[in-house]
Amino acid sequence: MPLPAALEGRLALPAVAAPMFLVSGPDLVVETCRAGVLGTFPSLNQRSTAGYLDWLAEIRERLAPEPEAAPFGVNLIVHRTNKRLEADLAATVEQRVPLVITSLGAVPEVVQAVQGYGGLVFHDVISRRHAEKAAEAGVDGLIAVCAGAGGHAGTLSPFAFLPEIRRFFDKTLILSGAIGSGSQIAAARLLGADLAYLGTRFIATRESLASEGHKRMIVEAGTKDLIYTPAISGVPANFLRASLVAAGLDPEALPSGAKMDMSDEARVWRDIWSAGQGAATIDDLPSVAELCERLKREYRAALAGLRD
């Protein structure tokens, strides 16, 4: 379906740079938006709501002279252990953030608060049940987090999951999972997605807040170097095997699980690093501007090839 009116004509590429915990910051968001790609970050990447407000002000100030820039968005973790949710939501509403991406809970009151000032709400889903609950909550878009995605990922094939969601959801549909090139963005559109969601590819950029070790580990990784497990944060996610080993863990004998607790997430994710299966195709560390221009060229070439 067409994009929401707030995004129509605002994007140079049908793509979103995903909000990545401890990775996405103002530099990454601003440079992504300048390139015409929707840039996002988690509110919890700042250690306080006051700091979150500072980042919002900085991003707006830096993008103000560039009316052609794409909109930006923030990720709010809607989970009972996120003690900052109420304060961060109030700050989001006060600042009228254009897009809010909600995770780990579809709460109608959050959706209504954002839509009340004209903002959009997209929600992460990994199953039909999650998608139906979010649709009932009134979200503007669903992010189908499929097999191979970084962070908290699902296990479903996009060939099955996207058509299943489309049967009951006629709003914006976004595809996440091992997307890192312009041709893959085009493939996401062919599958029925309105937008592609790229995470790991943006970790390995100069503006990313990720450590150099994290970036280099992604460049060196293949699919065999990733472990999908709930043992680290309580929710199944993809992690770099080498970072587990460096943290003193045995990838073949991980604990059966952990309890989800957002108050402890920064400690958990600081030294144990996530990446999606798309790491297997990453072999460089470009600037965001360079990466986005490459993605646009690849996307145009893929579309031209389909017309031939």
Side-chain angles (χ1 to χ4, degrees), residues 80-234:
R80 63 183 181 278
T81 62
N82 179 11
K83 298 177 182 178
R84 273 180 45 192
L85 175 59
E86 184 177 349
D88 285 359
L89 176 60
T92 301
V93 172
E94 174 192 322
Q95 295 297 313
R96 303 173 71 89
V97 175
L99 169 68
V100 172
I101 296 170
T102 52
S103 305
L104 300 174
V107 179
E109 291 77 14
V110 173
V111 176
Q112 293 161 11
V114 175
Q115 293 176 340
Y117 64 80
L120 298 172
V121 179
F122 293 168
H123 185 71
D124 287 344
V125 297
I126 63 170
S127 71
R128 177 171 182 143
R129 181 175 65 85
H130 290 147
E132 288 175 336
K133 289 181 67 175
E136 291 171 4
V139 301
D140 301 286
L142 292 175
I143 303 165
V145 186
C146 293
H152 294 140
T155 59
L156 296 177
S157 164
F159 289 94
F161 196 28
L162 260 66
E164 184 176 34
I165 294 174
R166 191 54 91 191
R167 288 182 178 182
F168 61 86
F169 188 74
D170 63 359
K171 299 179 184 179
T172 303
L173 188 54
I174 305 100
L175 176 60
S176 170
I179 300 174
S181 70
S183 60
Q184 290 167 337
I185 294 171
R189 295 297 309 280
L190 284 174
L191 280 176
D194 300 295
L195 297 168
Y197 206 62
L198 289 75
T200 303
R201 178 59 272 192
F202 280 93
I203 299 176
T205 59
R206 294 176 206 162
E207 290 85 355
S208 157
L209 293 176
S211 69
E212 290 304 310
H214 188 178
K215 295 177 186 180
R216 286 294 170 189
M217 198 175 286
I218 287 173
V219 168
E220 295 166 3
T223 53
K224 65 180 177 55
D225 300 305
L226 295 162
I227 301 280
Y228 182 73
T229 177
I232 306 305
S233 69

Side-chain angles (χ1 to χ4, degrees), residues 232-244:
I232 306 305
S233 69
V235 178
N238 276 308
F239 294 95
L240 289 156
R241 176 185 291 267
S243 72
L244 293 169

